[in-house]
Amino acid sequence: MTAAPGPAASRHQIWWQIAALVAVSTLAVLAGAAFDRAMEKYLPESRSFPSTFNRRSSGYSALFEITRKAGLAARRWQLPYRRLKEVSGVLVMVQPDKSLGSFEVDQVADWVKQGNTLIYLDHFIFNFERRLIKKLGMDAHVQSGLEEAVVPVKGSRPELAHVPAIIVTAENRLSGGTALISDSSGALLAEIEYGKGRAIVGVMPNLCANRRVMSESDWKNFQLMVNLFRTTGGEVLFDEYCHGHTASTNVFIHLARGPAGFVCFQVLLLTAAALLSHAQRFGSVAVLPVTRRISILEFVNGLANTYRRARANDLIWEIIGHAARARWIRALGISPHEPDEKLIWAFSEQSGGSPAEIEELLSRSSRALESKKLSDEELVALVGSCDKITEHSRNLLASRKGIAS
């Protein structure tokens, strides 16, 4: 055997090329994502989006990070409101992208009634935006607008500690509940008891937008929100479900966490091991030279030897005689269903030979097949006579127009 290191070397080169392609693709994706994040800081936003996932100026990602750094348990809420009964704490809802349905209003209100806290900041310009606060016993009305105005904070409540003033942009004022922060036109931030819980409602959804982190004068806004979180107790849930972010459990993930998942994982491991072992080779690739080929003559001799040992001379002659008769019929142009007399007559008419020869061969063939005990000498004689007649039929077939010999 001769070794052939070429294919093995090329196979290793392919794996190195695949690894290099994966590495380059990963670096390209990471660089593209970093570039997009950097560009987002300079490009203006088309609309206000107060989501903790938004790191641009109108987002609330800064407040989310400040809350965590202040030592408070905070996370994003991305499940339907019917799942609120599974948790307790404070829900922070800032300017929902879509109005809450009546069933969602009832779900949030029932959760607050059980002893939890809702912090809700929005413009409350349209009536459908006020469904939830109306359910809680509050309302909003249009008053003189404020544009980045400094509003003094009065009072000694814990929620207002270390907050002498806040920067506010608002168009409405609140009615109902107890005012926490207000100006001459009305309440800007108010709270109301609802069942065992309470709700804190404000008309300034951009109170803690990311852009305010850049200005030291706006830091008191973040201090106010942290004070509110500390006085409510429990886990701080930043509502992202109202911004269109959902995290419903996938059915396949749910099944994967149970026994079915472990079984599938084991099956995948076994399949991977089987595929890897099947693809392995023991040693390098080698070429096996072919030194001997089996010819058709060797096959014929082997088959003849098998028939001879089985003493199946009658079967041999039946095969040879059937093939010869089919060749004669094709050469003479007669139907294969014609009797022997028709075959003899057609042979003598078309070949010009004596019919006695083929008549004798057909007679001897019939007796040999009936006796079922055909000797080697008789078989050789029958084959010799058959060859002579076959030669006549071959010549006759070759002489026909359009038929090759």
Side-chain angles (χ1 to χ4, degrees):
M1 296 188 295
T2 58
S10 62
R11 185 171 67 252
H12 291 301
Q13 291 176 0
I14 290 175
W15 283 112
W16 278 111
Q17 292 172 2
I18 293 176
L21 177 61
V22 172
V24 172
S25 301
T26 303
L27 291 176
V29 171
L30 294 177
F35 177 78
D36 291 340
R37 287 194 298 267
M39 289 299 297
E40 285 179 355
K41 297 179 181 179
Y42 301 99
L43 296 176
E45 293 184 272
S46 59
R47 66 182 182 89
S48 177
F49 186 47
S51 168
T52 58
F53 290 107
N54 184 15
R55 297 183 176 273
R56 303 171 76 176
S57 7
S58 65
Y60 263 60
S61 59
L63 179 61
F64 181 71
E65 296 297 331
I66 291 173
T67 305
R68 286 188 164 182
K69 290 183 181 297
L72 300 174
R75 65 185 175 98
R76 297 179 175 93
W77 181 260
Q78 302 179 65
L79 298 175
Y81 296 122
R82 66 176 182 273
R83 301 283 298 274
L84 283 172
K85 58 185 178 182
E86 303 174 5
V87 297
S88 61
V90 52
L91 180 67
V92 184
M93 185 182 299
V94 182
Q95 193 179 351
D97 285 357
K98 60 178 182 178
S99 60
L100 275 66
S102 58
F103 67 96
E104 294 177 321
V105 170
D106 295 336
Q107 291 169 353
V108 175
D110 292 342
W111 181 74
V112 174
K113 185 184 294 185
Q114 294 173 3
N116 300 289
T117 303
L118 171 67
I119 298 178
Y120 188 12
L121 305 178
D122 202 351
H123 293 294
F124 302 114
I125 296 176
F126 302 103
N127 186 50
F128 58 81
E129 295 176 340
R130 303 196 294 269
R131 291 175 184 172
L132 181 54
I133 61 174
K134 286 183 177 180
K135 179 74 174 182
L136 300 175
M138 301 178 65
D139 203 352
H141 53 277
V142 178
Q143 289 291 341
S144 58
L146 297 176
E147 183 68 28
E148 295 299 305
V150 179
V151 178
V153 176
K154 302 176 182 179
S156 59
R157 299 185 54 162
E159 295 90 342
L160 309 178
H162 310 292
V163 185
I166 60 173
I167 309 298
V168 175
T169 296
E171 300 177 3
N172 292 349
R173 300 297 185 275
L174 295 169
S175 60
T178 303
L180 297 179
I181 300 175
S182 60
D183 63 355
S184 58
S185 300
L188 295 169
L189 184 69
E191 73 168 347
I192 187 171
E193 301 290 334
Y194 189 76
K196 298 180 181 180
R198 65 170 180 162
I200 301 174
V201 182
V203 293
M204 51 288 195
N206 60 355
L207 178 67
C208 293
N210 290 340
R211 59 183 173 83
R212 298 191 181 278
V213 179
M214 306 301 294
S215 176
E216 185 175 353
S217 60
D218 293 340
W219 289 357
K220 300 303 180 182
N221 293 16
F222 294 93
Q223 181 66 55
L224 173 64
M225 292 299 294
V226 173
N227 290 344
L228 293 176
F229 297 157
R230 289 188 183 279
T231 56
T232 54
E235 191 176 18
V236 182
L237 306 173
F238 286 86
D239 187 8
E240 292 297 336
Y241 183 76
C242 66
H243 297 144
H245 297 282
T246 60
S248 300
T249 305
N250 187 280
V251 62
F252 296 103
I253 297 177
H254 176 74
L255 294 176
R257 292 174 178 173
F262 292 105
V263 172
C264 293
F265 182 70
Q266 292 177 356
V267 171
L268 289 176
L269 285 180
L270 293 175
T271 304
L275 292 176
L276 289 176
S277 61
H278 179 72
Q280 295 298 318
R281 292 181 179 271
F282 297 93
S284 59
V285 179
V287 179
L288 299 177
V290 179
T291 58
R292 181 174 180 272
R293 296 181 179 276
I294 299 177
S295 65
I296 298 177
L297 183 60
E298 291 181 354
F299 172 76
V300 172
N301 292 336
L303 185 61
N305 188 34
T306 302
Y307 280 111
R308 181 177 299 174
R309 289 186 178 185
R311 297 181 179 179
N313 291 340
D314 52 341
L315 180 59
I316 295 173
W317 172 244
E318 184 176 359
I319 296 173
I320 296 175
H322 180 75
R325 180 183 177 89
R327 191 179 297 111
W328 300 340
I329 289 173
R330 184 178 60 178
L332 297 174
I334 62 176
S335 172
H337 304 290
E338 296 291 346
D340 293 344
E341 291 77 8
K342 180 66 174 179
L343 175 62
I344 296 171
W345 177 82
F347 180 78
S348 61
E349 287 292 329
Q350 298 187 33
S351 65
S354 173
E357 185 177 2
I358 189 172
E359 183 178 3
E360 180 184 1
L361 176 61
L362 293 176
S363 177
R364 290 166 55 193
S365 174
S366 299
R367 291 195 302 269
L369 294 176
E370 290 176 359
S371 66
K372 296 184 179 181
K373 291 182 179 180
L374 187 62
S375 63
D376 295 342
E377 293 77 10
E378 293 176 342
L379 177 61
V380 172
L382 286 172
V383 172
S385 301
C386 180
D387 290 342
K388 293 180 181 180
I389 299 176
T390 301
E391 184 66 24
H392 289 295
S393 64
R394 183 182 295 112
N395 296 333
L396 179 62
L397 184 63
S399 63
R400 290 177 177 275
K401 183 178 180 181
I403 302 178
S405 58

